[in-house]
Amino acid sequence: MLNIHPITRDEVPTLLSLIRSLATYEEKTHKVVATESDLLRDLFGPQPKFRALIAKWNNEPAGYASFFYFYSTYEGRAELLVEELFVLDEFRGKGVGKALMAAVARLAVDEGCFGLRWEVLDWNRAAIEFYEKLGATFLNERKAVAFDGEALRRVASEFSPHKNDL
């Protein structure tokens, strides 16, 4: 019934469709600018930037998880950072999300990672309750911070040492 496996090149269009479904759920469709070419490059190129698992229910796409390494100098080891874990509405309540999280956790254990980390939107009560049931620790003392777009370019140009110093 349920099959979870690393995404293949042929499944990249499906992954992009699932990413767009997540964006629709989060009311952020305008934020998805990734293309199939971007995903192919960053999943399978010479320097992969992330990995992804796809969940299929009776061979039909049901959800996915995307993740990458995050290094802790405190621990002296990596952990996996789950960027996205998403299950289509019609497959919720069937254990797909739990199986995806377990599959990523197994990879983390098998690869010697010290942990698994992710973020959840503060309004997503269903996801928060799901993670609570799994026994997740919420890091309320932290705030997610980002430099995006123009702020990233400004900081990179204004506050960077000279190129020769790098």
Side-chain angles (χ1 to χ4, degrees):
M1 240 193 227
L2 179 63
N3 177 347
I4 295 175
H5 62 270
I7 194 126
T8 66
R9 288 177 176 275
D10 292 340
E11 293 170 319
V12 166
T14 301
L15 176 61
L16 185 54
S17 175
L18 289 165
I19 291 167
R20 288 182 176 138
S21 294
L22 170 60
T24 299
Y25 175 78
E26 293 182 348
E27 298 182 5
K28 294 182 180 183
T29 54
H30 62 286
K31 294 276 193 177
V32 179
V33 297
T35 65
E36 288 178 23
S37 296
D38 294 330
L39 298 176
L40 282 166
R41 176 196 63 224
D42 293 337
L43 278 163
F44 302 104
Q47 294 181 319
K49 306 290 188 251
F50 76 106
R51 293 155 54 190
L53 298 175
I54 189 163
K56 291 189 174 180
W57 188 273
N58 291 332
N59 214 28
E60 187 177 339
Y64 76 100
S66 64
F67 51 95
F68 53 90
Y69 286 114
F70 180 90
Y71 192 80
S72 170
T73 56
Y74 283 19
E75 292 284 335
R77 294 188 294 157
E79 67 181 328
L80 286 180
L81 179 68
V82 178
E83 174 63 18
E84 296 158 347
L85 188 141
F86 178 70
V87 176
L88 292 168
D89 283 343
E90 59 266 33
F91 298 101
R92 292 192 182 149
K94 298 178 183 276
V96 176
K98 190 179 213 178
L100 276 167
M101 186 61 84
V104 177
R106 261 191 312 280
L107 286 170
V109 169
D110 291 348
E111 295 171 10
C113 295
F114 75 90
L116 193 60
R117 187 175 295 220
W118 65 97
E119 295 177 358
V120 61
L121 294 169
D122 60 2
W123 58 261
N124 193 341
R125 201 65 225 146
I128 291 168
E129 289 171 5
F130 169 73
Y131 297 133
E132 286 174 339
K133 286 179 187 172
L134 290 179
T137 301
F138 288 79
L139 305 174
N140 293 327
E141 75 277 4
R142 298 179 183 258
K143 291 218 180 265
V145 182
F147 284 130
D148 293 327
E150 185 52 40
L152 175 65
R153 287 185 285 281
R154 183 181 54 76
V155 170
S157 66
E158 290 182 21
F159 303 107
S160 292
H162 296 282
K163 289 180 185 176
N164 295 337
D165 293 341
L166 295 177

